[in-house]
Amino acid sequence: MQIPCVRVAREDGERTRERLAERDLLDHDHEITVVDGWLYAPVVDPDAVPEKYTIEERDVPTRETQTMPADLLGFDPSYERLGDIVLLREDDHERARRIADAVMDSSIPVKTVLNRASKIEGEFRTREWDVLAGESTETIHREYGCAFALDVAEVYFSPRLATERHRVIQQAAADERIVDMFAGVGPFAIPFAGRGADVIAVDRNPVAIEYLRENARRNDVAERIEAIEGDVREVATGIEGGADRIVMNLPHSADAFLDTAIDLAGEECVLHYYDIQHEDDPYGPGERAIRVAAEGYEVSVETKHTVRSYAPHELNVCLDVRLRA
Ligand code: SAM
């Protein structure tokens, strides 16, 4: 099977391996190989590899020491990894339990296995979990070189959105003034600050704000992040306006917060507006709502991006919109 590998000169191999390991990008299921003076390091997410590296698809050997859940189950279960927690999405409790046992007996470094027990609910956008193995729902998850402490039972966090967050974060320049209106534990705010931006991060969930502050310290960006707990509509009056960039990641109801976003926007501002809409017209409702709220601004939609399929016929999308007063 062809596996994406980072190709570097052999003498740069150890340094590169360390860089990739720091970002959790190494594919531990396959061997690092050396051929004709080149070292090939298999990676799990080629899109997340810094641009300076060359990616090449190679036929590399599987690591024989690894026992994966599929080896023990006889089928390939679907799961997500969040730090040292494995997240399942199984309706059949018995099947979930079998998978959890196999995950714990496999070579995956894991301390807890959780299965979804509810939809994402409430204003904090959290869900309930069945704890199938282990105890703690708290972990440290690494994404693109940042580390996020979080309790998956208390706050919203989706590892699946890593690539989308990276797409948006890469657009920010140093010295920008950014407001993250629904910041969670900081997966946008902290990397923005890491790029040199000054960030105001708001969330209504006090536990999320506590983790956000901890994560800002953990990633050495505390001096560039102001974390504010509260309903963004209420706390916005105390925030000095003039934002260069605003992130609105509350997809089911962001339209209700557009007036607040416009109050926070500067003379020129990029809005990242997340929405969930029917596939027949996924961008129209958001664009129309933004044009109504941003009266007095010239509105140009720079990107219409489908993040993922959310439910049958429903898409999670993002509009990157530039507003000019
Ligand atoms: N941006 C984070 C991320 O990508 O992981 C979190 C996004 S989550 C979908 C939405 C967040 O908005 C939740 O953490 C929730 O607590 C927060 N929230 C909901 N209503 C809010 C409000 N009125 N004001 C501020 N935050 C709010």
Side-chain angles (χ1 to χ4, degrees), residues 123-124 156 165 182-183 187 203-205 230-232 249 257:
E123 61 180 7
F124 296 165
Y156 176 91
R165 287 193 274 265
F182 312 102
D203 204 287
R204 198 166 189 169
N205 180 348
D231 181 335
V232 68
N249 185 15
F257 294 83

Side-chain angles (χ1 to χ4, degrees), residues 23-72:
R23 291 165 189 246
D24 267 350
L25 286 171
L26 279 179
D27 175 351
H28 296 290
D29 298 343
H30 294 91
E31 298 281 4
I32 293 177
T33 49
V34 178
V35 180
D36 294 334
W38 295 103
L39 180 137
Y40 296 91
V43 288
V44 284
D45 182 359
D47 292 341
V49 170
E51 275 170 18
K52 63 178 177 175
Y53 293 116
T54 304
I55 304 278
E56 200 176 299
E57 298 264 331
R58 302 253 336 159
D59 209 356
V60 285
T62 306
R63 274 178 83 166
E64 303 211 326
T65 48
Q66 295 269 320
T67 305
M68 297 309 285
D71 302 328
L72 302 168

Side-chain angles (χ1 to χ4, degrees), residues 66-90 95-115 132-134:
Q66 295 269 320
T67 305
M68 297 309 285
D71 302 328
L72 302 168
L73 289 164
F75 61 88
D76 206 0
S78 129
Y79 57 84
E80 281 177 275
R81 287 176 63 180
L82 182 69
D84 53 9
I85 297 178
V86 162
L87 306 175
L88 306 182
R89 185 188 193 165
E90 295 292 336
R95 182 180 151 98
R97 189 151 281 294
R98 276 182 67 204
I99 297 172
D101 289 345
V103 166
M104 294 304 283
D105 291 342
S106 74
S107 309
I108 299 177
V110 56
K111 68 167 186 205
T112 307
V113 183
L114 306 174
N115 191 26
L132 299 178

Side-chain angles (χ1 to χ4, degrees), residues 1 70 99 180:
M1 199 173 108
I99 297 172
D180 186 351

